[in-house]
Amino acid sequence: MSEVQTKALEAKETTAILASLSSDVKNAALLVMADALIQEQSSIIEANKLDLARGEENGTPAAMLDRLSLNEERIHSISEGLRQIAELNDPIGDILEVIHRPNGLRIEKERVPLGLIGIIYEARPNVTVDAIGLSLKTGNAVVLRGGSSALSSNQKIVEVLKQALKSTPVPSEAIQLIEDSNRASVNEMLKCKGLLDVIIPRGGASLIQNVVENATVPVIETGAGICHTYIAADADEQMATDIALNAKVQRPSVCNSMETLLIHKDYGNEKIVKLAEAFQNSSVELRGCPAFVKLVPWAVPATSADYSTEYNDYVLNVRIVNDLGEALDHIAQHSTMHSECIVTKDEATAAKFMQQVDAAAVYHNASTRFTDGFEFGYGAEIGISTQKLHARGPMGLPALTSTKYRIYGTGQIRQ
């Protein structure tokens, strides 16, 4: 039996136990795991150094190494995410609807765990902890298959968390990490129908496309992040600058960072040049439309392919548009329906933008960098869903549940 089948079976056998655990038990386990991360942070950082060294040897871009990197501050943040999950209301067991039928039947619709969740992701070891915390809080077991670039970090993190669970009623077998970095292990997970109840991919476009096109297990699709910010003609200059810079440079390697900046032609040439200089001072390579390149000669002419590229790096497309309609058309053509922003003083313009843009998160006068489970108050997230069925946007605890009906009778039979 393969590693994938063996570990999926081990995790599957814990699902009945997990579904029956009380909120207090699950919360206590989350706190134990949060403490363990802090206690073992030195060994986690040492394991992470092995991943970083391999990444540097393989020529991994600096922005991607940043996604991979762990330090004490980031481990404390990851630990805090578990603590926040513990403080959140447990959705399992919530009664969503009660129906009283004329024949005396009482029908209750209840939240229940999904069961066994498979998560396939790339080079962010914090995802390992987020996925485990959210899954266990909702009574789900989890099979993780991270990217090879973070294998040492993930192995150590899972080892620490499983060891921590051994002092709790939560079975440590509920957490499984696939250590085979061969792509065949991914493809095998995609075909584990009957063992895995759902698969959630987190990563680049090629990973997500492979999962969506080849899985026989149901998929919750998390999409790539080609995010836009549109600066309207009346936008406050300081606000527009702050939002645009934050959306691009605060952490360019993540999916909610901005890839294309759209600017109304009447915003002002001087303001546009000053904004371009601010990006230049932040080491951002600018690729622009002809009108922008004419104003900013150090910018590189943008190609049509650039506007459909998720860089996850210090690269930004800039396009000057004639009006809101042109901005909306551009977004409709190139957006991955992740996060989009408008900066404007005009409420009517903002309302039109927010109504017509089809995305999981649409912002008025705020950076797209807030599309995040932690920032939304979920403690952490299992991913950002860009699809429209089951879940959309940052997926917190309710997104990891299903429902079942409990029907109570007094001997009724159907006539």
Side-chain angles (χ1 to χ4, degrees), residues 53-247:
R54 284 197 303 270
E56 290 174 356
E57 289 175 8
N58 296 331
T60 303
M64 299 307 291
L65 288 175
D66 175 65
R67 297 181 76 172
L68 176 60
S69 178
L70 291 175
N71 53 35
E72 289 189 5
E73 181 182 356
R74 287 186 178 180
I75 291 174
H76 277 261
S77 177
I78 293 168
S79 173
E80 179 60 24
L82 287 179
R83 296 183 184 281
Q84 288 200 12
I85 293 171
E87 293 174 359
L88 296 172
N89 290 330
D90 184 356
I92 299 303
D94 285 351
I95 303 302
L96 304 178
E97 185 178 9
V98 179
I99 304 168
H100 294 279
R101 300 299 298 147
N103 61 4
L105 288 179
R106 186 176 87 254
I107 304 170
E108 295 182 353
K109 185 178 183 180
E110 179 190 22
R111 279 199 190 276
V112 296
L114 288 171
L116 177 55
I117 301 171
I119 302 176
I120 300 171
Y121 57 107
E122 292 178 334
R124 292 173 64 190
N126 65 294
V127 174
T128 302
V129 181
D130 291 349
I132 290 170
L134 290 168
S135 296
L136 294 185
K137 174 79 175 196
T138 47
N140 293 293
V142 62
V143 177
L144 303 162
R145 203 291 191 177
S148 58
S149 59
L151 181 58
S152 296
S153 304
N154 290 336
Q155 287 173 325
K156 177 54 68 173
I157 288 169
V158 169
E159 175 189 324
V160 168
L161 297 184
K162 291 186 75 165
Q163 183 62 37
L165 286 183
K166 289 183 179 179
S167 64
T168 79
V170 179
S172 62
E173 294 81 9
I175 305 170
Q176 299 291 340
L177 174 70
I178 304 302
E179 300 180 29
D180 180 1
S181 59
N182 193 295
R183 185 168 179 174
S185 64
V186 171
N187 294 333
E188 188 176 357
M189 283 183 68
L190 303 185
K191 306 299 183 184
C192 276
K193 190 173 183 180
L195 280 177
L196 296 178
D197 292 292
V198 66
I199 281 182
I200 302 172
R202 286 191 63 167
S206 61
L207 167 66
I208 294 166
Q209 183 178 11
N210 177 48
V211 172
V212 171
E213 292 181 356
N214 295 299
T216 58
V217 178
V219 176
I220 300 178
E221 182 177 353
T222 62
I226 299 178
C227 305
H228 301 78
T229 298
Y230 169 55
I231 298 177
D234 70 338
D236 177 84
E237 182 179 6
Q238 189 61 56
M239 180 187 292
T241 299
D242 290 344
I243 288 173
L245 282 172
N246 181 263

Side-chain angles (χ1 to χ4, degrees), residues 7-69:
K7 291 186 172 180
L9 279 169
E10 287 182 11
K12 189 75 170 180
E13 290 173 357
T14 70
T15 55
I17 297 171
L18 293 172
S20 64
L21 293 175
S22 69
S23 297
D24 288 343
V25 167
K26 291 184 290 186
N27 291 339
L30 289 168
L31 296 178
V32 168
M33 291 193 297
D35 289 341
L37 288 174
I38 302 302
Q39 292 164 4
E40 296 294 332
Q41 60 185 340
S42 296
S43 62
I44 294 171
I45 290 171
E46 287 303 310
N48 182 247
K49 287 178 181 178
L50 298 176
D51 291 327
L52 291 172
R54 284 197 303 270
E56 290 174 356
E57 289 175 8
N58 296 331
T60 303
M64 299 307 291
L65 288 175
D66 175 65
R67 297 181 76 172
L68 176 60
S69 178

